[in-house]
Amino acid sequence: MLETPSLEAWSGDEASRYRQRVDYSAVFIPTDRNWDRQLASIGAVVLTEQQRALVQDAIFTSHVLWSLVAAMEYRVARRADGTRPHRPVELSRDAEGDLARELAYAWRLELRISSLASVRMALRRRMLELQQLATKEQLLSAEGRGDRIADAPGIGLNYQDAAAVGIEYFNDLSEEPQGRWALMFDELEFAPERIREQLIASLRSTDARFLFKLSLAPHTTGTPLLGDLMGAMSGHDFITIPLFYGRKEEGFDFARRLADGLLARQEVAYDAEHFLGRRSLGAEPQNEERMPTNSGTVRRRLKALEKKDSTFAKYLAERDLTPDSLVRTTANERASELRKILPLVAVRNEFLRSADARGVRRVRALQSPTVYSGDVAVFAMLESNPRNLTGVLTRLVSADPTVPAPPARQVAEVRKVQNRFRALLSTVPTSDIPGRRTSTRGLLSVVDAIGEFMQQEVLLTEFSADPPGTFVLDSAIDDGLLESLGVALNAGAIVYVPEEGQEPVPNRLRGNKYRLSYLFSPRYGLPIRLGRERHLSGILATPSPSPPDQERLDLGVE
Amino acid sequence: MSLDYACCVGSIGYEGRSTFVPRVMHGRRVPLLLAAFAENRELAFDAGLTFATGANASVFEPHDAQASSYSNWLFARLLDATSDGHSRLCIDVSSMTRSRVAETLEVLEFIAAERGHVYCDFTYAPARYKPPPEETETLIETVGPVSSSFAGWSPRIEVPTVVLFGLGYEHERAVGVSEYLDALDAWAFVPTGEEASYERDVRARNSLLWDLLGDARFVPYVVADPRDSLLRIEGLATRLRPSSRLVLIPFGPKLFALLCMLVARRSQSEIAVWRATAGSGTEPHVVIPSGKIVTFATSVDEAGNWQTEDGLGQVPRSEARAALAALG
């Protein structure tokens, strides 16, 4: 979004303001899992580790410089309509040619034509040639290999030094001697570890022309988390911007604006609040405005549970409360009490059957439990994730844009996201947990263990206004499981919940508080709220429910 | 029909069909090179080993402390088998793992580099229809390129990853891997022509993917027509390549995995081929050949270029029936 093409394409209300605020040139440098595996495979058969590192670093440097040149090209490009809203540079063809030749000289490239496009092509060729070099070595003898690699073009060129030279040339030509460039590295957890360490160390760079924007998963094996490393200090050398929300409300503003914008572009007559509905029974209302206004309906729900669930009746009696008194109250304390228990009442009403003759409560399996519909619930379950929000809303609009989305359809679409997510989690192994089939189900076993424990506490024990809903990674968790939970954190299966005063991104895994993603709430019948914390080791030590209670599990499956 | 193969390469596994094609070839006195597996040495494995011994096959035993790797073993044997100028080989992929298929192709390329040109008739014995196993969510133990030479390479990292799947009974594994790769888009090839129940079951095992992609992204291919199937895969790959980095992920029949690897090779190795296997989470189960043998003739030259060929034709039914009977 910060790149020049994106800023120029943006036509929203605030586009102009942000184009002015972004007073640097952004260079987007992507990585991904596919590329990571490809890079790792280069020279895997015959090169030594050191030789592979040289080749991989040279490829990475070429990749950074390619992205830099692409950003330069865009700045000097001429638009057909003559307009260039963001940081355009006028460069004659001769000047561009001079720049291209200087870059080629500094970066040891062979140019066919003196132009920035030719520089970019030469860098692309270099990446291919380096890979071919490594492949050819499989057919050549080891003798002389070290020299052949060391002599290859691009070997030993450091990306930051090379980029600094390039920026200096460009800034000189564009008469912006202090022009700033933001190197934006995406998904750095997929870059080789030594490159990650170099980049993180760059946060203490003294070259004022560089800004670094690093997108990084919170847990990265082998690299200290941001809070720990190399003396860089959060708030001084870098600012952390979390893209996840421990507390669901923190993401709502963004989610709502995204949703409203998408609906408007699709010419839907409703905004998100009306398309999805205000009524999210399964989610704790975030403020008084969001409390249900129909006291009759609330009273009916409270009475329904009081009748069905003797432990809820007991809870009310012990506090000298009745459904009527709770609803009538204007006292702050009682209103707060009501707000806290409403989502618990909703899920227990939805999922619990009345107790049988032996007093045993059982749980219903529901296809699309509608307590999880409504704007707040949908935003929370999708963790305000733009990709998931866009996907779900697009499908809901495609189904019928003329009416508000039916609750059952909303929940069905969110469940599809959940199922896809579970399919992703099946790629993550984990160490053994007694009583769980971790060897065959991996991380899903851990997620289910936590979910089933919470389900037990929320639905099947005595009614409590504050059942467990979060967990701490305590010292009894072994390192293998901890590593898997780090992967779960990166994937979003568990979400960090910082305490007041804590860094927004965890600087270590142990000792911190987490919750399951709200995406799993329909599956286990959980309210969308934080809750009391428990130690994870205690949760995992709780036996898995026995087969006759199987219907308690997988409440939202097909 | 003259079947002038220098040798037949195959497997000894828990599947009954692992020795089906080797038995046919043994009936023609074609020397056998059979590779056993380290795991799941049960069900039809012992019978396969007995057959191999009786047929004087050269056997690769991973448990053998003296053994080098499968690749080294195969390379040495094939070099030997082609030393008298014989350059036509039969390679049965029916029970090979995807990694073994990849390794076999790599070895064949090395042999071609030595010998100038090698003709390879790949065979595949479809299994008799069986409903899918009951297990649903299973850990994917290994997810990544099928070997380092099939990792693919495209320096155009700015273009998105697009995945082409071959579907099988693997439950919703395609969706999981698509999410893992954060693929922008996906297409899925569905095996057809063998058994309507199988097609229906494959669809049910991948219902999430179907719902996600919609019918238009599903391309049928006929298992018994590998030449046409190769064209379909390659045609789609060619169309998508300019704007994406392609990853082929072949679930289902191993023949499809072979075709994907050939397509990858013909792309100058730009296209990646991945696997996603459940490993120890999968229980071995009985697999009986249907009696058909699909043959796909190719050749590879000394520069590693793969072409389709006319080959020596299909295996006569009478010989297939005899081998099936011998399997019991």
Side-chain angles (χ1 to χ4, degrees):
Chain A
M1 225 10 244
L2 295 173
E3 292 176 273
T4 301
S6 306
L7 287 168
E8 292 190 345
W10 189 12
S11 58
D13 294 338
E14 295 180 285
S16 191
R17 183 166 75 88
Y18 274 95
R19 278 196 280 269
Q20 291 201 343
R21 276 185 68 178
V22 177
D23 60 353
Y24 49 81
S25 303
V27 180
F28 181 62
I29 302 156
T31 55
D32 61 23
R33 266 199 172 106
N34 184 11
W35 193 75
D36 170 51
R37 295 301 185 100
Q38 290 179 334
L39 200 61
S41 296
I42 290 176
V45 179
V46 295
L47 300 191
T48 65
E49 207 173 301
Q50 188 191 28
Q51 290 164 349
R52 287 173 64 197
L54 283 173
V55 173
Q56 288 169 0
D57 287 358
I59 291 174
F60 185 81
T61 293
S62 303
H63 174 48
V64 173
L65 297 179
W66 185 97
S67 302
L68 174 62
V69 173
M72 289 178 178
E73 269 185 282
Y74 200 86
R75 285 194 65 193
V76 306
R78 292 157 191 82
R79 272 164 66 134
D81 63 3
T83 64
R84 290 293 317 281
H86 189 250
R87 299 175 62 70
V89 166
E90 289 294 331
L91 216 56
S92 68
R93 294 221 189 274
D94 284 346
E96 184 184 333
D98 289 343
L99 173 63
R101 281 189 295 276
E102 292 291 353
L103 292 178
Y105 180 70
W107 298 344
R108 300 182 234 141
L109 296 168
E110 277 183 28
L111 283 192
R112 308 277 165 101
I113 303 167
S114 296
S115 69
L116 287 175
S118 192
V119 174
R120 198 166 36 80
M121 289 298 112
L123 286 163
R124 187 88 93 190
R125 270 198 312 276
R126 173 168 289 170
M127 287 190 262
L128 271 172
E129 285 161 3
L130 285 165
Q131 186 262 349
Q132 285 164 1
L133 164 77
T135 305
K136 271 190 206 156
E137 285 296 327
Q138 287 180 230
L139 302 170
L140 301 172
S141 100
E143 192 179 339
R145 180 168 293 151
D147 288 340
R148 288 193 294 273
I149 288 176
D151 289 341
I155 296 289
L157 193 62
N158 170 269
Y159 82 90
Q160 196 171 344
D161 294 339
V165 166
I167 283 166
E168 182 158 349
Y169 287 141
F170 190 93
N171 283 355
D172 281 349
L173 281 172
S174 59
E175 296 176 359
E176 294 175 355
Q178 300 308 317
R180 294 196 304 162
W181 294 75
L183 301 185
M184 307 191 300
F185 292 90
D186 194 29
E187 294 188 301
L188 265 183
E189 60 270 20
F190 300 131
E193 191 182 321
R194 67 186 170 281
I195 288 172
R196 234 176 12 245
E197 288 174 356
Q198 289 166 26
L199 283 169
I200 291 174
S202 304
L203 296 178
R204 300 213 85 178
S205 166
T206 55
D207 190 334
R209 293 168 303 179
F210 278 121
L211 287 171
F212 291 92
K213 293 183 181 290
L214 311 184
S215 149
L216 188 62
H219 173 71
T220 311
T221 308
T223 306
L225 293 179
L226 286 173
D228 263 351
L229 44 90
M230 306 208 51
M233 292 168 60
S234 177
H236 295 271
D237 295 305
F238 63 88
I239 298 168
T240 311
I241 304 173
L243 298 180
F244 53 86
Y245 309 100
R247 290 172 176 75
K248 62 184 187 299
E249 299 80 13
E250 291 162 352
F252 283 175
D253 184 47
F254 169 77
R256 193 172 299 286
R257 294 205 294 169
L258 179 77
D260 285 345
L262 186 148
L263 292 170
R265 278 194 302 280
Q266 307 255 7
E267 297 179 345
V268 174
Y270 306 97
D271 61 11
E273 184 177 312
H274 293 94
F275 186 68
L276 296 171
R278 281 176 58 95
R279 211 176 70 150
S280 292
L281 297 178
E284 185 169 317
Q286 70 251 42
N287 51 42
E288 286 304 315
E289 257 183 50
R290 279 293 178 138
M291 286 288 283
T293 50
N294 187 331
S295 57
T297 309
V298 174
R299 185 184 299 114
R300 269 197 304 279
R301 286 187 212 131
L302 293 168
K303 283 187 171 175
L305 189 64
E306 184 187 32
K307 187 176 169 191
K308 183 198 293 193
D309 181 356
S310 60
T311 70
F312 181 59
K314 182 178 161 208
Y315 168 86
L316 292 175
E318 281 172 353
R319 287 156 184 77
D320 201 25
L321 293 170
T322 65
D324 289 327
S325 69
L326 264 175
V327 168
R328 269 201 315 265
T329 186
T330 54
N332 276 345
E333 240 179 64
R334 288 239 176 123
S336 167
E337 178 87 12
L338 183 61
R339 194 164 88 212
K340 206 162 61 169
I341 68 171
L342 273 178
L344 294 160
V345 168
V347 296
R348 280 173 90 102
N349 255 334
E350 185 91 345
F351 290 106
L352 278 184
R353 297 183 200 277
S354 299
D356 63 19
R358 293 170 296 152
V360 174
R361 282 188 297 277
R362 294 209 181 275
V363 174
R364 302 157 65 195
L366 293 171
Q367 195 73 356
S368 296
T370 54
V371 291
Y372 297 109
S373 62
D375 56 350
V376 164
V378 170
F379 293 163
M381 287 188 294
L382 298 180
E383 301 286 351
S384 300
N385 175 292
R387 181 180 161 187
N388 285 340
L389 269 169
T390 304
V392 166
L393 281 171
T394 301
R395 287 169 70 100
L396 289 173
V397 169
S398 296
D400 190 346
T402 63
V403 297
R409 188 180 294 155
Q410 293 178 38
V411 178
E413 288 299 334
V414 171
R415 269 202 25 239
K416 286 176 192 172
V417 177
Q418 184 225 166
N419 288 340
R420 286 205 305 274
F421 191 42
R422 285 182 69 88
L424 166 65
L425 295 180
S426 68
T427 65
V428 184
T430 186
S431 58
D432 283 341
I433 304 171
R436 300 279 172 175
R437 289 164 46 216
T438 47
S439 63
T440 55
R441 297 183 69 242
L443 191 62
L444 283 175
S445 303
V446 180
V447 170
D448 283 342
I450 299 170
E452 287 160 16
F453 174 84
M454 301 297 184
Q455 180 188 78
Q456 173 85 12
E457 294 289 314
V458 165
L459 295 181
L460 289 160
T461 54
E462 288 214 354
F463 184 89
S464 160
D466 193 16
T470 56
F471 52 92
V472 172
L473 299 192
D474 55 289
S475 56
I477 299 295
D478 72 55
D479 288 345
L481 179 55
L482 196 72
E483 186 57 34
S484 302
L485 288 163
V487 177
L489 179 68
N490 289 349
I494 67 174
V495 182
Y496 171 57
V497 184
E499 304 283 21
E500 201 169 317
Q502 270 191 311
E503 286 291 334
V505 175
N507 55 8
R508 62 182 188 286
L509 289 174
R510 272 191 216 281
N512 285 317
K513 187 159 76 175
Y514 304 84
R515 60 171 172 82
L516 270 190
S517 168
Y518 290 135
L519 190 59
F520 297 119
S521 297
R523 183 178 183 91
Y524 305 114
L526 304 178
I528 299 174
R529 64 191 288 274
L530 295 174
R532 202 161 31 92
E533 68 185 52
R534 290 286 296 265
H535 280 190
L536 182 62
S537 58
I539 290 174
L540 296 179
T542 306
S544 173
S546 53
D549 297 323
Q550 194 62 35
E551 69 175 294
R552 298 189 304 180
L553 310 177
D554 300 347
L555 301 183
V557 300
E558 289 89 355
Chain B
M1 181 180 81
S2 162
L3 278 174
D4 189 20
Y5 292 123
C7 66
C8 169
V9 178
S11 313
I12 305 169
Y14 66 80
E15 295 185 341
R17 68 169 166 177
S18 68
T19 53
F20 177 45
V21 171
R23 286 174 196 268
V24 170
M25 294 301 146
H26 177 60
R28 298 175 180 171
R29 297 193 176 83
V30 174
L32 302 178
L33 307 178
L34 302 178
F37 295 97
E39 291 89 29
N40 297 326
R41 293 162 75 98
E42 52 195 286
L43 297 177
F45 181 84
D46 285 341
L49 203 54
T50 303
F51 158 72
T53 308
N56 255 341
S58 175
V59 176
F60 170 72
E61 257 294 12
H63 284 172
D64 184 350
Q66 307 296 323
S68 57
S69 65
Y70 167 74
S71 297
N72 287 345
W73 168 84
L74 185 62
F75 180 74
R77 297 296 177 287
L78 289 181
L79 211 56
D80 204 36
T82 55
S83 60
D84 59 357
H86 240 130
S87 63
R88 186 174 293 279
L89 308 170
C90 171
I91 315 287
D92 181 47
V93 301
S94 305
S95 296
M96 286 189 182
T97 59
R98 288 164 187 85
S99 302
R100 278 253 172 109
V101 174
E103 282 185 272
T104 304
L105 288 179
E106 288 159 4
V107 168
L108 290 168
E109 287 162 353
F110 278 120
I111 295 293
E114 289 286 326
R115 298 290 184 228
H117 214 104
V118 174
Y119 294 89
C120 310
D121 283 11
F122 292 97
T123 57
Y124 175 72
R128 197 180 294 175
Y129 169 72
K130 239 183 108 160
E134 283 203 12
E135 98 270 353
T136 54
E137 289 173 332
T138 52
L139 171 65
I140 301 174
E141 269 191 10
T142 308
V143 55
V146 75
S147 78
S148 60
S149 83
F150 284 97
W153 178 247
S154 170
R156 297 180 306 139
I157 191 179
E158 73 280 4
V159 299
T161 296
V162 169
V163 183
L164 270 59
F165 292 108
L167 297 185
Y169 275 169
E170 296 85 350
H171 183 253
E172 305 295 6
R173 206 172 292 173
V175 159
V177 179
S178 183
E179 296 282 313
Y180 181 81
L181 277 167
D182 201 17
L184 180 74
D185 202 356
W187 292 74
F189 284 81
V190 185
T192 63
E194 290 308 303
E195 172 78 50
S197 305
Y198 178 66
E199 290 172 43
R200 179 204 62 214
D201 291 339
V202 167
R203 183 168 179 144
R205 298 283 282 182
N206 291 279
S207 59
L208 260 184
L209 188 71
W210 229 282
D211 182 72
L212 188 64
L213 300 184
D215 277 338
R217 289 299 168 92
F218 286 80
V219 181
Y221 75 94
V222 178
V223 176
D225 193 349
R227 200 180 259 237
D228 178 71
S229 301
L230 181 81
L231 288 174
R232 285 175 183 240
I233 303 167
E234 199 157 46
L236 181 58
T238 302
R239 187 151 67 87
L240 295 172
R241 259 171 82 188
S243 57
S244 54
R245 285 176 294 141
L246 287 179
V247 180
L248 308 183
I249 309 186
F251 298 118
K254 297 295 166 43
L255 183 63
F256 189 84
L258 167 73
L259 299 178
C260 285
M261 291 181 213
L262 292 176
V263 167
R265 277 296 194 257
R266 282 150 63 113
S267 74
Q268 284 77 53
S269 294
E270 178 185 318
I271 296 174
V273 181
W274 278 39
R275 61 178 175 146
T277 54
S280 56
T282 309
E283 289 294 316
H285 50 276
V286 173
V287 179
I288 300 169
S290 66
K292 287 187 193 165
I293 298 176
V294 179
T295 306
F296 180 51
T298 66
S299 68
V300 55
D301 66 21
E302 61 191 333
N305 300 311
W306 288 88
Q307 308 241 33
T308 52
E309 298 283 348
D310 290 329
L312 294 180
Q314 302 297 324
V315 172
R317 283 191 186 182
S318 55
E319 294 183 35
R321 273 200 297 270
L324 198 59
L327 268 177

